[in-house]
Amino acid sequence: MDADAKKTALRMIPYGIYVLTADDGKGNIGAATVNWVTQGSFAPPLVVVGIKADSGAHTVVKGTGRFALNMLGKDQKGLAFAFFKPARLEDGKLSGQDFHAGANGAPILDAAIAAVELSVKETVELGDHHIFVAEVTEAYVHTPPVGRADAAILEMKDLGDTVYYGG
């Protein structure tokens, strides 16, 4: 396989940008910017997420079976970059961001335009990212979108011409 062709072709898949958060209730909070996300089912409402297998977020999600996806708006590039590195809890803030606990205990970022809470139903452990199929158990819209809901979300291409993930 031509490695450059593979990389270019796979980078043509559009990605939204989300911050995944999880809390085990024992002082371990995982958070990461993720982009391999899709809805997998209407009934029940399922979301499919790829999480890097050696990340702190993966450890907490695998251990608890629950997490939240915080949706970022077009103007929230800084928020995406804040969670590119391992999360830290300091002065009641998660990587410098205000948050509150959702019904499932996962942090909900106050600045996110929307969020969903999820409960893991299945895990596929293949490759360097594991796939979590999770059911939506709660949903919040903090900033109602104007126009199409999918047009409100920050996308990988919005982060600049040199920012890629995948391929």
Side-chain angles (χ1 to χ4, degrees):
M1 176 181 338
D2 180 318
D4 288 334
K6 174 195 61 93
K7 183 185 294 186
T8 299
L10 290 175
R11 286 182 173 174
M12 290 178 181
I13 299 170
Y15 298 110
I17 301 293
Y18 314 87
V19 175
L20 180 143
T21 54
D23 187 339
D24 69 2
K26 301 173 190 170
N28 298 307
I29 294 180
T33 299
V34 296
N35 64 343
W36 292 344
V37 176
T38 193
Q39 184 171 353
S41 173
F42 292 123
L46 298 176
V47 172
V48 180
V49 181
I51 305 174
K52 195 166 189 278
D54 64 355
S55 69
H58 180 280
T59 300
V60 179
V61 170
K62 186 172 180 177
T64 64
R66 61 186 188 271
F67 62 98
L69 275 178
N70 296 271
M71 283 63 171
L72 304 183
K74 291 283 190 191
D75 62 345
Q76 294 184 305
K77 293 177 191 171
L79 194 54
F81 285 113
F83 290 95
F84 274 2
K85 48 191 175 270
R88 62 190 192 296
L89 185 61
E90 294 177 348
D91 301 322
K93 294 186 178 206
L94 185 57
S95 294
Q97 300 300 313
D98 290 325
F99 71 96
H100 62 278
N104 73 1
I108 304 295
L109 300 177
D110 293 345
I113 62 171
V116 291
E117 295 183 37
L118 300 120
S119 175
V120 175
K121 298 302 178 191
E122 294 286 337
T123 306
V124 178
E125 295 185 353
L126 296 171
D128 57 3
H129 285 65
H130 293 170
I131 306 303
F132 291 85
V133 179
E135 185 172 353
V136 176
T137 58
E138 189 60 71
Y140 310 93
V141 176
H142 302 130
T143 306
V146 175
R148 289 181 58 113
D150 59 351
I153 200 76
L154 182 66
E155 296 178 75
M156 180 63 72
K157 65 184 177 184
D158 299 326
L159 298 180
D161 292 341
T162 61
V163 179
Y164 291 99
Y165 195 74

